Amino acid sequence: MQGTMEKIDDDTYELFFGPAHPGSGNFSVKLKVDGERIVSARADPGYLHRGFEKLMEYRLPLQNAVLSDRICVLESLAWNLVHAEAVDELMGVEVPERAKYIRVIMAELSRIQSHLIWYGIISIGTGFDTGFKLAFGYRDFILDLFELITGGRVYPAGYICPGGVRRDLPESAEEKILNVLDKIGKMIDFERAENPANLARLKDVGILNLKDAIRLGATGPVLRASGLKTDVRKEEPYEVYDRFDFEIPVRKEGDAYARFQIGLEEMEQSVGIIKQALKDLPDGDFIAKEFSKPKLNMKIPEGEAYIRNEIGRGEAGVYMVSDGGIKPYRVKIRGPSFLHIIPVLEFLLRDAQIADVPAIYWSLNGCPADIDR
Amino acid sequence: MVESVREKEIIENITKNFKVDVGIQRERRIWVKSPSEDLIDLCMFVKNKLGFKHLSALSVTDWPKKGEYELTYHIWSYDDKILITIKTMVDRENPEIETVSKIWGESSQIHEREMHELFGVKFKGNPDLSPLFLEDWDGPAPFRKDFDWREYVRNEYYSKDNDRESAYFGRD
């Protein structure tokens, strides 16, 4: 925990967590502390603000697909998908079956690698260095897959684009994905082993009950760890999620350990979804005709669409309005971390101990980039 | 389909109590256009009577030709699995509206704070509308359609006298 310390009065101090902290991301929290106890916390985003919503008004949908990678660095393919779906709905594009399956496979691979980062960062934050190294090592296998399929390891450069996906899966992809999934299975077994370090640091820390969770706008794993069984993939099936058999992990405790466990169980479910999708993967086109050779002056019909997706961190949304021009008129991006690491974090840090800050912060799996999009 | 029955029920329920425009956009998507005076009553009704508990997003669309801002509240119901979009218009030059932070709590408070910074909408009764992203910004609300950031950057950070930078002037 680094930063500047400023003495306010005899009893309380102000302490910065971030923005140059190796784990906090480009984001800081100002803590007012009394001894070891935190009196109040105030999130301070803006370190990474790029104004994507405004930038998208000046660009064509295919350019925006590339821009959408950068909304959240750690989950670029998932954000690609939300953006592409919004354009698809506005333009009334019929996405080919094969593309839908490839989209699901990529989104789930992206969820697994994002949860591996989550596991790694929560491990190093709570003093379990081995977990961090293992998780990032295993994540690399998935990045190799991304490189093979999309051409980019972290940024796929708009691989999931309006109309489908930019390239078909290479011939060797199926076998390689299955290979990597086996390896990920080993990592999940490792994570499953009860670890005294995680138990001691995470159990009964940062408890969020269901009523507060809904009021504070929590979604995804954070909300499920507080006891509400909800998942956009089940409630509002997009792409072909309604054809797959998977469970929604739920816990009642609402503490950091429960959130951590949810992440683990979700990885297992994602592995199952990918295996089912690979088995049923149909032949055919991978991109709709309008977009296989896109014209520069393609008009987006007048209208609006609000798309919700379940990404690794929670509910992602894109609200797109078109006035009939070739560029979107207004794009609103709703990131899950906007609520998780501003209101939820401020709420959970109140009256917590300084030593618990990393455990609470990383159990929420925030991504500062999607607040500061 | 079962869902569309519930959507019609919700729409009937709303039109019984309020004089508003409603419609079904597609499956699981309802929109309501409400005058800004009725917004708070409508929101209370939608949350407490119809169970829309999760304010998913709050957005503003700028329509300079009409001289209006369009505020859109996207609210999800965990019970019915339906998203309702409440739309209301406010004057663009003096955008003021009652806050919904008493209804949806902190989640709506933070959404309003963001929209206040980016569009300059004043949410009356919101306890905290301090800047979120932009430090030391005292220019116009940056997401307004008539704020041209390219023009702004050219004027603030580039010089016409500089050989390389002058190329940026007169270009779009």
Side-chain angles (χ1 to χ4, degrees), chain A residues 108 111-112 115 118-119 188 191-192 221 224-225 231 233 246-253 257-273:
Chain A
E108 292 305 315
R111 187 187 317 278
I112 296 176
H115 279 347
W118 187 11
Y119 177 83
I188 296 175
E191 290 182 26
R192 276 210 172 285
R224 288 196 282 276
D231 189 317
R233 290 175 292 173
F246 62 99
E247 300 283 315
I248 310 173
V250 187
R251 298 236 155 190
K252 282 210 174 61
E253 301 87 350
Y257 193 69
R259 293 192 277 277
F260 168 80
Q261 288 288 327
I262 294 269
L264 231 166
E265 284 163 34
E266 277 184 18
M267 276 168 61
E268 237 167 20
Q269 298 302 328
S270 295
V271 170
I273 295 175

mmCIF file of all heavy atoms in Angstrom, chain A residues 108 111-112 115 118-119 188 191-192 221 224-225 231 233 246-253 257-273:
data_model
loop_
_atom_site.group_PDB
_atom_site.id
_atom_site.type_symbol
_atom_site.label_atom_id
_atom_site.label_comp_id
_atom_site.label_asym_id
_atom_site.label_seq_id
_atom_site.Cartn_x
_atom_site.Cartn_y
_atom_site.Cartn_z
ATOM 1 N N GLU A 108 -16.565 -17.479 -23.694
ATOM 2 C CA GLU A 108 -16.322 -18.314 -22.519
ATOM 3 C C GLU A 108 -14.829 -18.466 -22.242
ATOM 4 O O GLU A 108 -14.404 -18.478 -21.085
ATOM 5 C CB GLU A 108 -16.980 -19.682 -22.686
ATOM 6 C CG GLU A 108 -18.504 -19.638 -22.672
ATOM 7 C CD GLU A 108 -19.064 -18.960 -21.438
ATOM 8 O OE1 GLU A 108 -18.603 -19.231 -20.320
ATOM 9 O OE2 GLU A 108 -19.971 -18.114 -21.588
ATOM 10 N N ARG A 111 -13.925 -15.524 -20.457
ATOM 11 C CA ARG A 111 -14.349 -15.562 -19.053
ATOM 12 C C ARG A 111 -13.350 -16.365 -18.220
ATOM 13 O O ARG A 111 -12.978 -15.953 -17.119
ATOM 14 C CB ARG A 111 -15.747 -16.180 -18.948
ATOM 15 C CG ARG A 111 -16.353 -16.115 -17.553
ATOM 16 C CD ARG A 111 -17.655 -16.880 -17.465
ATOM 17 N NE ARG A 111 -18.511 -16.648 -18.612
ATOM 18 C CZ ARG A 111 -19.304 -15.602 -18.753
ATOM 19 N NH1 ARG A 111 -19.389 -14.723 -17.794
ATOM 20 N NH2 ARG A 111 -20.030 -15.453 -19.836
ATOM 21 N N ILE A 112 -12.892 -17.504 -18.767
ATOM 22 C CA ILE A 112 -11.956 -18.333 -18.005
ATOM 23 C C ILE A 112 -10.655 -17.576 -17.757
ATOM 24 O O ILE A 112 -10.165 -17.535 -16.624
ATOM 25 C CB ILE A 112 -11.656 -19.661 -18.742
ATOM 26 C CG1 ILE A 112 -12.926 -20.504 -18.857
ATOM 27 C CG2 ILE A 112 -10.590 -20.454 -18.006
ATOM 28 C CD1 ILE A 112 -12.740 -21.764 -19.650
ATOM 29 N N HIS A 115 -11.182 -14.988 -15.130
ATOM 30 C CA HIS A 115 -11.278 -15.539 -13.782
ATOM 31 C C HIS A 115 -9.919 -16.025 -13.284
ATOM 32 O O HIS A 115 -9.673 -16.032 -12.085
ATOM 33 C CB HIS A 115 -12.301 -16.676 -13.747
ATOM 34 C CG HIS A 115 -13.726 -16.173 -13.639
ATOM 35 N ND1 HIS A 115 -14.025 -14.883 -13.316
ATOM 36 C CD2 HIS A 115 -14.921 -16.796 -13.798
ATOM 37 C CE1 HIS A 115 -15.343 -14.730 -13.295
ATOM 38 N NE2 HIS A 115 -15.917 -15.884 -13.594
ATOM 39 N N TRP A 118 -8.331 -13.080 -11.958
ATOM 40 C CA TRP A 118 -8.975 -12.795 -10.685
ATOM 41 C C TRP A 118 -8.344 -13.638 -9.578
ATOM 42 O O TRP A 118 -7.945 -13.132 -8.533
ATOM 43 C CB TRP A 118 -10.480 -13.091 -10.818
ATOM 44 C CG TRP A 118 -11.318 -12.690 -9.650
ATOM 45 C CD1 TRP A 118 -10.934 -11.922 -8.597
ATOM 46 C CD2 TRP A 118 -12.690 -13.032 -9.431
ATOM 47 N NE1 TRP A 118 -11.992 -11.759 -7.742
ATOM 48 C CE2 TRP A 118 -13.063 -12.416 -8.227
ATOM 49 C CE3 TRP A 118 -13.619 -13.776 -10.142
ATOM 50 C CZ2 TRP A 118 -14.352 -12.554 -7.701
ATOM 51 C CZ3 TRP A 118 -14.902 -13.906 -9.630
ATOM 52 C CH2 TRP A 118 -15.266 -13.300 -8.423
ATOM 53 N N TYR A 119 -8.237 -14.946 -9.865
ATOM 54 C CA TYR A 119 -7.638 -15.838 -8.874
ATOM 55 C C TYR A 119 -6.203 -15.426 -8.576
ATOM 56 O O TYR A 119 -5.774 -15.367 -7.418
ATOM 57 C CB TYR A 119 -7.675 -17.287 -9.373
ATOM 58 C CG TYR A 119 -7.016 -18.242 -8.421
ATOM 59 C CD1 TYR A 119 -7.704 -18.740 -7.323
ATOM 60 C CD2 TYR A 119 -5.688 -18.617 -8.598
ATOM 61 C CE1 TYR A 119 -7.083 -19.588 -6.428
ATOM 62 C CE2 TYR A 119 -5.070 -19.466 -7.706
ATOM 63 C CZ TYR A 119 -5.768 -19.945 -6.630
ATOM 64 O OH TYR A 119 -5.148 -20.773 -5.737
ATOM 65 N N ILE A 188 -7.957 -25.791 -12.118
ATOM 66 C CA ILE A 188 -9.147 -25.689 -11.269
ATOM 67 C C ILE A 188 -8.997 -26.627 -10.069
ATOM 68 O O ILE A 188 -9.338 -26.269 -8.936
ATOM 69 C CB ILE A 188 -10.425 -25.988 -12.069
ATOM 70 C CG1 ILE A 188 -10.619 -24.929 -13.153
ATOM 71 C CG2 ILE A 188 -11.646 -26.012 -11.162
ATOM 72 C CD1 ILE A 188 -11.775 -25.181 -14.090
ATOM 73 N N GLU A 191 -6.906 -24.952 -7.611
ATOM 74 C CA GLU A 191 -7.609 -23.881 -6.899
ATOM 75 C C GLU A 191 -8.592 -24.444 -5.879
ATOM 76 O O GLU A 191 -8.871 -23.835 -4.861
ATOM 77 C CB GLU A 191 -8.369 -22.996 -7.892
ATOM 78 C CG GLU A 191 -7.470 -22.164 -8.763
ATOM 79 C CD GLU A 191 -8.253 -21.262 -9.700
ATOM 80 O OE1 GLU A 191 -9.398 -20.916 -9.381
ATOM 81 O OE2 GLU A 191 -7.717 -20.918 -10.766
ATOM 82 N N ARG A 192 -9.144 -25.627 -6.212
ATOM 83 C CA ARG A 192 -10.152 -26.226 -5.329
ATOM 84 C C ARG A 192 -9.573 -26.644 -3.987
ATOM 85 O O ARG A 192 -10.263 -26.667 -2.990
ATOM 86 C CB ARG A 192 -10.756 -27.461 -6.001
ATOM 87 C CG ARG A 192 -11.848 -27.128 -6.938
ATOM 88 C CD ARG A 192 -12.869 -28.245 -7.008
ATOM 89 N NE ARG A 192 -13.990 -27.770 -7.789
ATOM 90 C CZ ARG A 192 -14.879 -26.910 -7.324
ATOM 91 N NH1 ARG A 192 -14.819 -26.509 -6.089
ATOM 92 N NH2 ARG A 192 -15.846 -26.493 -8.101
ATOM 93 N N PRO A 221 -21.066 -12.117 -10.461
ATOM 94 C CA PRO A 221 -20.555 -12.939 -9.373
ATOM 95 C C PRO A 221 -20.782 -12.311 -7.987
ATOM 96 O O PRO A 221 -21.040 -13.020 -7.023
ATOM 97 C CB PRO A 221 -19.054 -13.027 -9.662
ATOM 98 C CG PRO A 221 -18.909 -12.738 -11.094
ATOM 99 C CD PRO A 221 -20.042 -11.866 -11.484
ATOM 100 N N ARG A 224 -24.392 -12.902 -7.087
ATOM 101 C CA ARG A 224 -24.634 -14.330 -6.867
ATOM 102 C C ARG A 224 -24.020 -14.803 -5.563
ATOM 103 O O ARG A 224 -24.559 -15.681 -4.905
ATOM 104 C CB ARG A 224 -24.066 -15.133 -8.041
ATOM 105 C CG ARG A 224 -24.861 -14.991 -9.314
ATOM 106 C CD ARG A 224 -24.509 -16.052 -10.304
ATOM 107 N NE ARG A 224 -23.275 -15.787 -10.998
ATOM 108 C CZ ARG A 224 -23.170 -15.018 -12.064
ATOM 109 N NH1 ARG A 224 -24.249 -14.444 -12.568
ATOM 110 N NH2 ARG A 224 -22.022 -14.821 -12.650
ATOM 111 N N ALA A 225 -22.897 -14.202 -5.163
ATOM 112 C CA ALA A 225 -22.270 -14.595 -3.901
ATOM 113 C C ALA A 225 -23.101 -14.123 -2.721
ATOM 114 O O ALA A 225 -22.935 -14.604 -1.607
ATOM 115 C CB ALA A 225 -20.862 -14.022 -3.817
ATOM 116 N N ASP A 231 -28.434 -14.725 -13.845
ATOM 117 C CA ASP A 231 -27.375 -14.775 -14.847
ATOM 118 C C ASP A 231 -28.004 -14.375 -16.174
ATOM 119 O O ASP A 231 -29.002 -14.964 -16.583
ATOM 120 C CB ASP A 231 -26.800 -16.198 -14.925
ATOM 121 C CG ASP A 231 -25.555 -16.248 -15.794
ATOM 122 O OD1 ASP A 231 -25.563 -15.617 -16.858
ATOM 123 O OD2 ASP A 231 -24.587 -16.922 -15.401
ATOM 124 N N ARG A 233 -27.096 -14.874 -19.067
ATOM 125 C CA ARG A 233 -27.043 -15.948 -20.067
ATOM 126 C C ARG A 233 -28.267 -16.860 -19.965
ATOM 127 O O ARG A 233 -28.694 -17.450 -20.945
ATOM 128 C CB ARG A 233 -25.782 -16.787 -19.872
ATOM 129 C CG ARG A 233 -24.526 -16.054 -20.238
ATOM 130 C CD ARG A 233 -23.312 -16.881 -19.905
ATOM 131 N NE ARG A 233 -23.138 -17.042 -18.473
ATOM 132 C CZ ARG A 233 -22.225 -17.824 -17.909
ATOM 133 N NH1 ARG A 233 -21.407 -18.524 -18.643
ATOM 134 N NH2 ARG A 233 -22.124 -17.901 -16.597
ATOM 135 N N PHE A 246 -25.876 -25.690 -18.378
ATOM 136 C CA PHE A 246 -24.905 -25.265 -17.363
ATOM 137 C C PHE A 246 -25.621 -24.748 -16.121
ATOM 138 O O PHE A 246 -26.793 -24.404 -16.165
ATOM 139 C CB PHE A 246 -23.936 -24.217 -17.923
ATOM 140 C CG PHE A 246 -24.597 -22.932 -18.380
ATOM 141 C CD1 PHE A 246 -24.613 -21.815 -17.565
ATOM 142 C CD2 PHE A 246 -25.185 -22.839 -19.624
ATOM 143 C CE1 PHE A 246 -25.214 -20.632 -17.975
ATOM 144 C CE2 PHE A 246 -25.785 -21.665 -20.044
ATOM 145 C CZ PHE A 246 -25.798 -20.565 -19.223
ATOM 146 N N GLU A 247 -24.892 -24.750 -15.021
ATOM 147 C CA GLU A 247 -25.462 -24.344 -13.737
ATOM 148 C C GLU A 247 -25.061 -22.898 -13.428
ATOM 149 O O GLU A 247 -24.064 -22.405 -13.934
ATOM 150 C CB GLU A 247 -24.901 -25.230 -12.622
ATOM 151 C CG GLU A 247 -25.187 -26.698 -12.778
ATOM 152 C CD GLU A 247 -26.624 -27.021 -12.388
ATOM 153 O OE1 GLU A 247 -27.043 -26.510 -11.336
ATOM 154 O OE2 GLU A 247 -27.292 -27.741 -13.136
ATOM 155 N N ILE A 248 -25.847 -22.247 -12.572
ATOM 156 C CA ILE A 248 -25.445 -20.940 -12.066
ATOM 157 C C ILE A 248 -25.010 -21.129 -10.617
ATOM 158 O O ILE A 248 -25.842 -21.423 -9.763
ATOM 159 C CB ILE A 248 -26.611 -19.934 -12.100
ATOM 160 C CG1 ILE A 248 -27.268 -19.940 -13.473
ATOM 161 C CG2 ILE A 248 -26.129 -18.561 -11.736
ATOM 162 C CD1 ILE A 248 -28.514 -19.093 -13.513
ATOM 163 N N PRO A 249 -23.736 -20.991 -10.317
ATOM 164 C CA PRO A 249 -23.310 -21.147 -8.927
ATOM 165 C C PRO A 249 -23.822 -19.997 -8.056
ATOM 166 O O PRO A 249 -23.749 -18.833 -8.463
ATOM 167 C CB PRO A 249 -21.777 -21.135 -8.999
ATOM 168 C CG PRO A 249 -21.430 -20.660 -10.351
ATOM 169 C CD PRO A 249 -22.615 -20.722 -11.225
ATOM 170 N N VAL A 250 -24.365 -20.335 -6.896
ATOM 171 C CA VAL A 250 -24.875 -19.321 -5.970
ATOM 172 C C VAL A 250 -24.368 -19.633 -4.567
ATOM 173 O O VAL A 250 -24.221 -20.800 -4.198
ATOM 174 C CB VAL A 250 -26.422 -19.302 -5.941
ATOM 175 C CG1 VAL A 250 -26.923 -18.143 -5.108
ATOM 176 C CG2 VAL A 250 -26.990 -19.203 -7.323
ATOM 177 N N ARG A 251 -24.080 -18.596 -3.798
ATOM 178 C CA ARG A 251 -23.685 -18.769 -2.394
ATOM 179 C C ARG A 251 -24.503 -17.796 -1.553
ATOM 180 O O ARG A 251 -24.961 -16.783 -2.062
ATOM 181 C CB ARG A 251 -22.210 -18.456 -2.207
ATOM 182 C CG ARG A 251 -21.311 -19.357 -2.982
ATOM 183 C CD ARG A 251 -20.340 -20.013 -2.058
ATOM 184 N NE ARG A 251 -19.888 -21.256 -2.639
ATOM 185 C CZ ARG A 251 -19.184 -22.147 -1.974
ATOM 186 N NH1 ARG A 251 -18.886 -21.934 -0.715
ATOM 187 N NH2 ARG A 251 -18.798 -23.263 -2.536
ATOM 188 N N LYS A 252 -24.622 -18.106 -0.285
ATOM 189 C CA LYS A 252 -25.440 -17.231 0.556
ATOM 190 C C LYS A 252 -24.614 -16.281 1.421
ATOM 191 O O LYS A 252 -25.085 -15.240 1.836
ATOM 192 C CB LYS A 252 -26.324 -18.089 1.472
ATOM 193 C CG LYS A 252 -27.513 -18.662 0.750
ATOM 194 C CD LYS A 252 -28.696 -18.847 1.674
ATOM 195 C CE LYS A 252 -29.927 -19.277 0.906
ATOM 196 N NZ LYS A 252 -29.735 -20.568 0.223
ATOM 197 N N GLU A 253 -23.357 -16.649 1.688
ATOM 198 C CA GLU A 253 -22.588 -15.936 2.725
ATOM 199 C C GLU A 253 -22.331 -14.476 2.372
ATOM 200 O O GLU A 253 -22.352 -13.619 3.243
ATOM 201 C CB GLU A 253 -21.255 -16.632 2.989
ATOM 202 C CG GLU A 253 -21.368 -18.089 3.455
ATOM 203 C CD GLU A 253 -21.455 -19.061 2.282
ATOM 204 O OE1 GLU A 253 -21.615 -18.592 1.133
ATOM 205 O OE2 GLU A 253 -21.371 -20.272 2.510
ATOM 206 N N TYR A 257 -14.817 -14.668 0.549
ATOM 207 C CA TYR A 257 -14.550 -16.066 0.225
ATOM 208 C C TYR A 257 -15.629 -16.639 -0.702
ATOM 209 O O TYR A 257 -15.338 -17.401 -1.613
ATOM 210 C CB TYR A 257 -14.457 -16.887 1.517
ATOM 211 C CG TYR A 257 -13.890 -18.272 1.306
ATOM 212 C CD1 TYR A 257 -12.559 -18.433 0.974
ATOM 213 C CD2 TYR A 257 -14.688 -19.407 1.434
ATOM 214 C CE1 TYR A 257 -12.026 -19.692 0.768
ATOM 215 C CE2 TYR A 257 -14.164 -20.668 1.227
ATOM 216 C CZ TYR A 257 -12.829 -20.805 0.896
ATOM 217 O OH TYR A 257 -12.314 -22.049 0.678
ATOM 218 N N ALA A 258 -16.874 -16.243 -0.454
ATOM 219 C CA ALA A 258 -17.967 -16.720 -1.308
ATOM 220 C C ALA A 258 -17.780 -16.225 -2.736
ATOM 221 O O ALA A 258 -17.959 -16.964 -3.701
ATOM 222 C CB ALA A 258 -19.303 -16.249 -0.758
ATOM 223 N N ARG A 259 -17.389 -14.956 -2.898
ATOM 224 C CA ARG A 259 -17.173 -14.408 -4.240
ATOM 225 C C ARG A 259 -16.047 -15.145 -4.944
ATOM 226 O O ARG A 259 -16.129 -15.474 -6.137
ATOM 227 C CB ARG A 259 -16.841 -12.910 -4.143
ATOM 228 C CG ARG A 259 -18.003 -12.081 -3.661
ATOM 229 C CD ARG A 259 -17.759 -10.600 -3.854
ATOM 230 N NE ARG A 259 -16.984 -9.981 -2.796
ATOM 231 C CZ ARG A 259 -17.482 -9.557 -1.643
ATOM 232 N NH1 ARG A 259 -18.764 -9.687 -1.390
ATOM 233 N NH2 ARG A 259 -16.706 -8.995 -0.744
ATOM 234 N N PHE A 260 -15.008 -15.432 -4.176
ATOM 235 C CA PHE A 260 -13.859 -16.156 -4.695
ATOM 236 C C PHE A 260 -14.271 -17.556 -5.167
ATOM 237 O O PHE A 260 -13.876 -18.018 -6.240
ATOM 238 C CB PHE A 260 -12.837 -16.184 -3.557
ATOM 239 C CG PHE A 260 -11.681 -17.104 -3.716
ATOM 240 C CD1 PHE A 260 -10.611 -16.737 -4.500
ATOM 241 C CD2 PHE A 260 -11.640 -18.309 -3.041
ATOM 242 C CE1 PHE A 260 -9.519 -17.570 -4.612
ATOM 243 C CE2 PHE A 260 -10.552 -19.150 -3.156
ATOM 244 C CZ PHE A 260 -9.492 -18.784 -3.952
ATOM 245 N N GLN A 261 -15.124 -18.207 -4.390
ATOM 246 C CA GLN A 261 -15.587 -19.544 -4.755
ATOM 247 C C GLN A 261 -16.467 -19.518 -6.004
ATOM 248 O O GLN A 261 -16.434 -20.428 -6.824
ATOM 249 C CB GLN A 261 -16.380 -20.163 -3.593
ATOM 250 C CG GLN A 261 -15.518 -20.571 -2.417
ATOM 251 C CD GLN A 261 -14.675 -21.797 -2.723
ATOM 252 O OE1 GLN A 261 -15.088 -22.664 -3.464
ATOM 253 N NE2 GLN A 261 -13.473 -21.839 -2.191
ATOM 254 N N ILE A 262 -17.298 -18.475 -6.113
ATOM 255 C CA ILE A 262 -18.167 -18.357 -7.293
ATOM 256 C C ILE A 262 -17.314 -18.306 -8.554
ATOM 257 O O ILE A 262 -17.584 -18.976 -9.549
ATOM 258 C CB ILE A 262 -19.032 -17.076 -7.205
ATOM 259 C CG1 ILE A 262 -20.014 -17.167 -6.049
ATOM 260 C CG2 ILE A 262 -19.744 -16.791 -8.511
ATOM 261 C CD1 ILE A 262 -21.332 -17.732 -6.369
ATOM 262 N N GLY A 263 -16.236 -17.519 -8.516
ATOM 263 C CA GLY A 263 -15.345 -17.416 -9.660
ATOM 264 C C GLY A 263 -14.823 -18.778 -10.072
ATOM 265 O O GLY A 263 -14.774 -19.122 -11.252
ATOM 266 N N LEU A 264 -14.471 -19.550 -9.059
ATOM 267 C CA LEU A 264 -13.934 -20.885 -9.314
ATOM 268 C C LEU A 264 -14.952 -21.789 -9.992
ATOM 269 O O LEU A 264 -14.665 -22.457 -10.997
ATOM 270 C CB LEU A 264 -13.619 -21.469 -7.938
ATOM 271 C CG LEU A 264 -12.257 -22.051 -7.726
ATOM 272 C CD1 LEU A 264 -12.037 -22.245 -6.255
ATOM 273 C CD2 LEU A 264 -12.178 -23.332 -8.450
ATOM 274 N N GLU A 265 -16.149 -21.800 -9.432
ATOM 275 C CA GLU A 265 -17.183 -22.689 -9.982
ATOM 276 C C GLU A 265 -17.583 -22.250 -11.384
ATOM 277 O O GLU A 265 -17.917 -23.079 -12.227
ATOM 278 C CB GLU A 265 -18.392 -22.713 -9.049
ATOM 279 C CG GLU A 265 -18.137 -23.565 -7.812
ATOM 280 C CD GLU A 265 -19.123 -23.296 -6.698
ATOM 281 O OE1 GLU A 265 -20.299 -23.000 -6.989
ATOM 282 O OE2 GLU A 265 -18.706 -23.363 -5.520
ATOM 283 N N GLU A 266 -17.560 -20.932 -11.622
ATOM 284 C CA GLU A 266 -17.935 -20.462 -12.963
ATOM 285 C C GLU A 266 -16.948 -20.928 -14.021
ATOM 286 O O GLU A 266 -17.334 -21.178 -15.166
ATOM 287 C CB GLU A 266 -18.016 -18.932 -12.973
ATOM 288 C CG GLU A 266 -19.329 -18.441 -12.453
ATOM 289 C CD GLU A 266 -19.471 -16.948 -12.552
ATOM 290 O OE1 GLU A 266 -18.724 -16.301 -13.313
ATOM 291 O OE2 GLU A 266 -20.330 -16.424 -11.853
ATOM 292 N N MET A 267 -15.675 -21.018 -13.650
ATOM 293 C CA MET A 267 -14.687 -21.505 -14.613
ATOM 294 C C MET A 267 -15.036 -22.920 -15.046
ATOM 295 O O MET A 267 -14.966 -23.263 -16.225
ATOM 296 C CB MET A 267 -13.296 -21.491 -13.983
ATOM 297 C CG MET A 267 -12.626 -20.155 -14.074
ATOM 298 S SD MET A 267 -11.179 -20.023 -13.071
ATOM 299 C CE MET A 267 -10.159 -21.283 -13.744
ATOM 300 N N GLU A 268 -15.437 -23.731 -14.084
ATOM 301 C CA GLU A 268 -15.797 -25.109 -14.395
ATOM 302 C C GLU A 268 -16.977 -25.150 -15.371
ATOM 303 O O GLU A 268 -16.983 -25.920 -16.326
ATOM 304 C CB GLU A 268 -16.195 -25.823 -13.097
ATOM 305 C CG GLU A 268 -15.377 -27.044 -12.843
ATOM 306 C CD GLU A 268 -15.558 -27.550 -11.436
ATOM 307 O OE1 GLU A 268 -16.568 -27.207 -10.780
ATOM 308 O OE2 GLU A 268 -14.674 -28.280 -10.995
ATOM 309 N N GLN A 269 -17.991 -24.307 -15.108
ATOM 310 C CA GLN A 269 -19.165 -24.266 -15.989
ATOM 311 C C GLN A 269 -18.767 -23.819 -17.389
ATOM 312 O O GLN A 269 -19.272 -24.329 -18.385
ATOM 313 C CB GLN A 269 -20.227 -23.317 -15.428
ATOM 314 C CG GLN A 269 -20.781 -23.708 -14.075
ATOM 315 C CD GLN A 269 -21.401 -25.080 -14.081
ATOM 316 O OE1 GLN A 269 -21.954 -25.513 -15.093
ATOM 317 N NE2 GLN A 269 -21.307 -25.793 -12.974
ATOM 318 N N SER A 270 -17.856 -22.839 -17.465
ATOM 319 C CA SER A 270 -17.442 -22.351 -18.781
ATOM 320 C C SER A 270 -16.740 -23.435 -19.575
ATOM 321 O O SER A 270 -16.946 -23.556 -20.792
ATOM 322 C CB SER A 270 -16.504 -21.148 -18.625
ATOM 323 O OG SER A 270 -17.194 -20.093 -18.046
ATOM 324 N N VAL A 271 -15.916 -24.229 -18.891
ATOM 325 C CA VAL A 271 -15.248 -25.338 -19.576
ATOM 326 C C VAL A 271 -16.307 -26.254 -20.188
ATOM 327 O O VAL A 271 -16.215 -26.653 -21.356
ATOM 328 C CB VAL A 271 -14.341 -26.115 -18.589
ATOM 329 C CG1 VAL A 271 -13.852 -27.394 -19.227
ATOM 330 C CG2 VAL A 271 -13.166 -25.259 -18.162
ATOM 331 N N GLY A 272 -17.367 -26.540 -19.412
ATOM 332 C CA GLY A 272 -18.449 -27.382 -19.913
ATOM 333 C C GLY A 272 -19.128 -26.783 -21.126
ATOM 334 O O GLY A 272 -19.411 -27.479 -22.107
ATOM 335 N N ILE A 273 -19.389 -25.464 -21.076
ATOM 336 C CA ILE A 273 -20.077 -24.805 -22.205
ATOM 337 C C ILE A 273 -19.229 -24.903 -23.462
ATOM 338 O O ILE A 273 -19.728 -25.223 -24.554
ATOM 339 C CB ILE A 273 -20.370 -23.322 -21.878
ATOM 340 C CG1 ILE A 273 -21.354 -23.219 -20.717
ATOM 341 C CG2 ILE A 273 -20.933 -22.605 -23.095
ATOM 342 C CD1 ILE A 273 -21.598 -21.805 -20.242
#
